[in-house]
Amino acid sequence: MVAALALRSGGIASGATSRLKGVWNHLRGVQTLAETRGGLPNYYVLPSGDKIPSVALGCWRAREGEVGNAVKTALKAGYRHIDGAWAYENEAEVGAAIKESGIPREEIFITSKLWNSYHYPEDVAPILEDSLQKLGVDYIDLYLIHFPVAFKKERTPEGKPVADLELTENTYATWQAMEKLVDSGKVRNIGVSNFNIRRLTNLTSNPLKYQPAVNQVELSFGNPQPELLAWSKKNGILLEAYSPLGSTEQVKQTLQIPEVVAIANELGITPAQVLISWHVQRGTVVLPKSVTPSRVEQNFQIFKLPQDKFDALEKAAVSHPPKRVVDPSGAWGVNIYEDQ
């Protein structure tokens, strides 16, 4: 029974019986999640059968000396999903905080990401090992291709990255290396980040062993991406919303949007809670980031918005020209999102 569950989850290679105990512990841990919270989904079920909590602590831009306390605060408040990445340069502190929390590893859903410099197939497994070592864990719950951009090994004389346009356009070789990580048992689920519909269609037109479970993208009131959301639901790919409050550059303005403030006042919750709840109610995982303890705790509290309020917020979000905050296309010489 244990072996069958493990193999079905896509996280254990055939014959890797030494990991079965850990997988069983993982399954026991995730089963403790309540199905709903505040009237909204507390988790979504991935194709592997794993449960991914609907609200995560985002660790992007969380500085050294701050991110560890934020992680411990989040776990104490009830978070069971930590979203990180090798490129954030804080995985060691995140891992130490998880260990210090005393919460069993199998009860925490950990995400990391493959950086652009390591898309060549021979580089994928070694850089995963670096993340595992820093985090102090022996498996990652979700591993994402961070951007649909592959860097060449050599840089410009000024030290700037150079895109490998062929591997950037066709990520299949990188994906096959990701699939091997699942078979190894060191990664349970794989997905992508910052992919648009065309890039996802291009990837999934190949004979994949494992389909992308998740696409993590910028989603906010300012950049709601309704077409991508609808396409993803139709094609069984779960969207995750990073910068859900508009990122550092836009968060102040976002929390002052009249429609958001009006709903917050009527329901007696914060504007941030309105927006985070809206994201979950749209059917996405949401990744609010903060290192302020009170905000970390508040951001975890979600509430199902009355349908008329949800519809009004959705209508307001899609009625203005979208404004993307995160776009390194110019620096990397690749039109990543192809929406301009």
Side-chain angles (χ1 to χ4, degrees):
M1 175 64 173
V2 175
L5 286 169
L7 288 169
R8 187 176 63 196
S9 74
I12 295 295
S14 178
T17 54
S18 63
R19 295 187 180 273
L20 290 178
K21 182 178 179 181
V23 172
W24 177 243
N25 286 338
H26 175 86
L27 292 170
R28 280 193 311 177
V30 296
Q31 293 303 324
T32 63
L33 288 172
E35 186 172 347
T36 61
R37 189 161 54 83
L40 292 174
N42 196 28
Y43 61 83
Y44 303 99
V45 180
L46 298 177
S48 67
D50 286 353
K51 294 177 179 178
I52 180 170
S54 58
V55 180
L57 178 72
C59 295
W60 183 39
R61 290 178 169 174
R63 294 192 295 267
E64 183 179 354
E66 294 181 336
V67 68
N69 287 332
V71 169
K72 285 185 280 189
T73 298
L75 293 173
K76 185 176 180 180
Y79 289 75
R80 290 299 181 267
H81 184 178
I82 306 298
D83 180 82
W86 181 89
Y88 299 167
E89 299 183 334
N90 57 17
E91 287 189 315
E93 190 170 337
V94 169
I98 289 172
K99 185 176 181 180
E100 291 171 18
S101 74
I103 296 172
R105 163 67 185 94
E106 61 271 13
E107 294 184 13
I108 303 173
F109 193 100
I110 300 175
T111 297
S112 188
K113 306 179 187 75
L114 176 76
W115 185 239
N116 308 354
S117 304
Y118 305 99
H119 280 212
Y120 292 104
E122 65 271 19
D123 296 330
V124 173
I127 200 61
L128 170 69
E129 290 294 338
D130 191 57
S131 284
L132 291 172
Q133 182 179 7
K134 289 173 178 174
L135 288 165
V137 299
D138 59 6
Y139 70 94
I140 298 290
D141 294 277
L142 177 63
Y143 200 50
L144 306 177
I145 296 177
H146 204 150
F147 278 93
V149 179
F151 289 162
K152 293 182 177 180
K153 295 183 185 292
E154 66 272 12
R155 289 178 167 254
T156 68
E158 297 77 26
K160 295 181 179 180
V162 178
D164 182 325
L165 298 181
E166 182 176 350
L167 187 56
T168 292
E169 179 60 24
N170 186 0
T171 59
Y172 184 42
T174 304
W175 188 258
Q176 287 179 301
M178 297 274 284
E179 291 178 324
K180 291 179 181 178
L181 301 180
V182 178
D183 289 335
S184 75
K186 294 181 178 181
V187 168
R188 295 188 57 81
N189 303 276
I190 51 177
V192 297
S193 181
N194 294 295
F195 275 55
N196 61 14
I197 293 173
R198 188 193 71 81
R199 294 186 187 280
L200 270 169
T201 302
N202 187 39
L203 172 60
T204 56
S205 67
N206 294 288
L208 307 185
K209 185 173 185 179
Y210 303 110
Q211 295 290 318
V214 163
N215 183 19
Q216 185 179 125
V217 296
E218 180 184 328
L219 287 175
S220 65
F221 182 92
N223 189 32
Q225 303 202 65
E227 296 85 3
L228 178 61
L229 178 60
W231 184 91
S232 300
K233 288 182 178 180
K234 181 179 179 181
N235 288 275
I237 298 174
L238 179 65
L239 282 192
E240 292 188 326
Y242 74 74
S243 298
L245 305 180
S247 194
T248 303
E249 293 83 354
Q250 295 290 327
V251 64
K252 184 176 180 180
Q253 298 94 309
T254 301
L255 297 182
Q256 295 174 347
I257 292 169
E259 294 89 344
V260 175
V261 173
I263 293 173
N265 289 339
E266 183 171 339
L267 300 181
I269 60 179
T270 70
Q273 288 169 336
V274 170
L275 288 166
I276 291 167
S277 299
W278 170 66
H279 281 292
V280 177
Q281 202 159 333
R282 294 182 97 204
T284 71
V285 172
V286 60
L287 315 170
K289 173 261 173 183
S290 180
V291 295
T292 304
S294 60
R295 290 176 185 163
V296 171
E297 293 167 357
Q298 287 177 358
N299 289 346
F300 187 61
Q301 304 305 314
I302 55 176
F303 308 87
K304 185 175 182 179
L305 306 178
Q307 192 61 45
D308 62 328
K309 302 295 186 289
F310 173 81
D311 292 342
L313 194 56
E314 186 75 19
K315 182 178 179 180
V318 303
S319 65
H320 58 78
K323 184 176 182 180
R324 188 181 296 279
V325 176
V326 180
D327 189 358
S329 296
W332 296 346
V334 176
N335 187 357
I336 298 170
Y337 305 108
E338 303 173 326
D339 55 5
Q340 294 181 1

